[in-house]
Amino acid sequence: MMRKMPALLLLPLLLAACDGMPRDAGGTSERISRTGTMRVIVLPATPDAAPALALLGRYAAAHGATLARVEAHGEHALHMLEEGDVDAVVGHFAKASPWKTEIALSKPLTHGEPDDADTPVLRIARRNGENALVLATDRMVAEARR
């Protein structure tokens, strides 16, 4: 019993350390709240971006912010996302995208997941490690699909 006592005394400290989880490793959600701006790229040839923009607009509004569109395309847009120069990229991405290990792709916004993992569908790309943003927007995507 004596060996378990120190662990029991540390339990409240460990639980307190988990307050506010999940968090963004790069502070994206906090920056959005602080600056009042969520920076988003819509890739060219994404005429059906409206549902993703509406969802991100709700996320931004919940943080006292508005969306600011940033112009970029292709690989450059995803590099900007990786570097934290933008907060999200909206476009058509395949589940098997070569970027899937570098960015966090949402589930499809307007259709179910295609049987073919190489078929691009409307998704939101977010930076890996921005767990609060990823979790919140994933929940919003799931709610929108119900």
Side-chain angles (χ1 to χ4, degrees):
M1 177 69 175
M2 290 303 281
R3 279 196 262 168
K4 292 183 182 178
M5 188 60 75
L8 290 174
L9 293 173
L10 289 176
L11 187 60
L13 293 174
L14 292 172
L15 290 174
C18 293
D19 185 41
M21 296 301 271
R23 292 199 174 136
D24 294 331
T28 298
S29 296
E30 294 84 5
R31 190 203 46 73
I32 290 169
S33 294
R34 187 179 68 254
T35 64
T37 303
M38 182 175 191
R39 303 160 304 175
V40 177
I41 293 173
V42 176
L43 294 176
T46 311
D48 58 345
L53 290 172
L55 185 146
L56 292 171
R58 288 193 307 276
Y59 179 85
H63 288 80
T66 58
L67 294 183
R69 299 262 308 253
V70 177
E71 296 298 321
H73 60 282
E75 300 285 319
H76 186 66
L78 296 175
H79 283 291
M80 290 177 70
L81 178 64
E82 251 189 328
E83 295 298 317
D85 296 329
V86 295
D87 306 312
V89 175
V90 174
H92 294 138
F93 298 96
K95 185 176 183 179
S97 168
W99 281 89
K100 70 182 180 183
T101 59
E102 308 300 322
I103 59 176
L105 290 173
S106 73
K107 297 281 188 196
L109 272 84
T110 55
H111 304 287
E113 193 69 64
D115 293 332
D116 177 8
D118 293 322
T119 301
V121 293
L122 181 64
R123 299 178 194 267
I124 300 170
R126 291 86 27 113
R127 279 178 76 194
N128 275 340
E130 300 310 279
N131 299 331
L133 171 67
V134 169
L135 182 61
T137 52
D138 280 349
R139 286 179 178 159
M140 295 171 80
V141 169
E143 289 172 15
R145 294 184 60 199
R146 285 188 207 154

